[in-house]
Amino acid sequence: MKRLELKFQNNFLSMENNQELIENAELNMMSAVSHLEAELAKIRAGKANPIMLKGIYVEYYGNNTPLNQVASVSTPNAQTLSIQPWEKDMLDEIEKSIISSNLGLNPVNNGESLLINIPPLTEERRIELTKIAKSESESAKVSIRNTRKDINNKIKNLEISDDLKSNLEIDAQDLTDKYIKKVDEMFSVKEKDILTL
């Protein structure tokens, strides 16, 4: 009887560990999708968006500080970004950081705030941005597939029945399909956003 209880306990622990494998795989896939979301948000589609300035850091009292922690960024209209620093003497430092960021943005300093006009995209630039978005999407898919590959390798090494292994592999494939579909949907929305005049 004790032996049977021990076997049941080991099977139960094994099932919990198996579930943990799947949950960890899903977390990795979600992370790939979140990263893609952040990367796609940086690709400007000819419309002003405060996220465009997300990667900009400003020298603030000796520290490299994100722009949104030293200034308010808003969009007064679809073609303009407005940056209002919390401290007026930060204007020049913010302007310098934006210019050196290689985003191709030219802020206008009016002494109170910075204004950035977002020019409409040319057809050539739209095609180029679509290619960048496609490349980011493909990278996310590779990351998702690598996660599936890793979990399948771990499943192969588990000391469980072939049926259980097969079920876990099916779960891993279902997750992969789910997150690949999300990536495709995100790319489709971004592509439409970029190509819409």
Side-chain angles (χ1 to χ4, degrees), residues 19 40 70 78 92 99 104 108 143 154 159 170 174 185:
Q19 195 53 42
L40 291 180
V70 296
D92 292 336
I99 291 169
V108 175
S143 179
K154 287 177 183 172
E159 292 181 20
I170 289 168
D174 288 346
E185 288 167 355

Side-chain angles (χ1 to χ4, degrees), residues 3-57:
R3 203 176 276 168
L4 189 61
E5 280 178 24
L6 192 60
K7 187 176 180 185
F8 176 76
Q9 225 174 3
N10 286 342
N11 282 344
F12 182 73
L13 286 174
S14 165
M15 286 172 66
E16 274 189 346
N17 290 341
N18 298 344
Q19 195 53 42
E20 200 173 294
L21 267 178
I22 297 295
E23 287 169 6
N24 286 338
E26 184 162 23
L27 286 175
N28 287 342
M29 291 179 186
M30 285 168 71
S31 175
V33 169
S34 294
H35 178 75
L36 174 63
E37 190 173 25
E39 291 305 308
L40 291 180
K42 291 178 191 173
I43 299 172
R44 63 185 182 99
K47 298 175 197 81
N49 188 335
I51 293 173
M52 295 164 70
L53 303 176
K54 189 176 182 182
I56 295 180
Y57 285 79

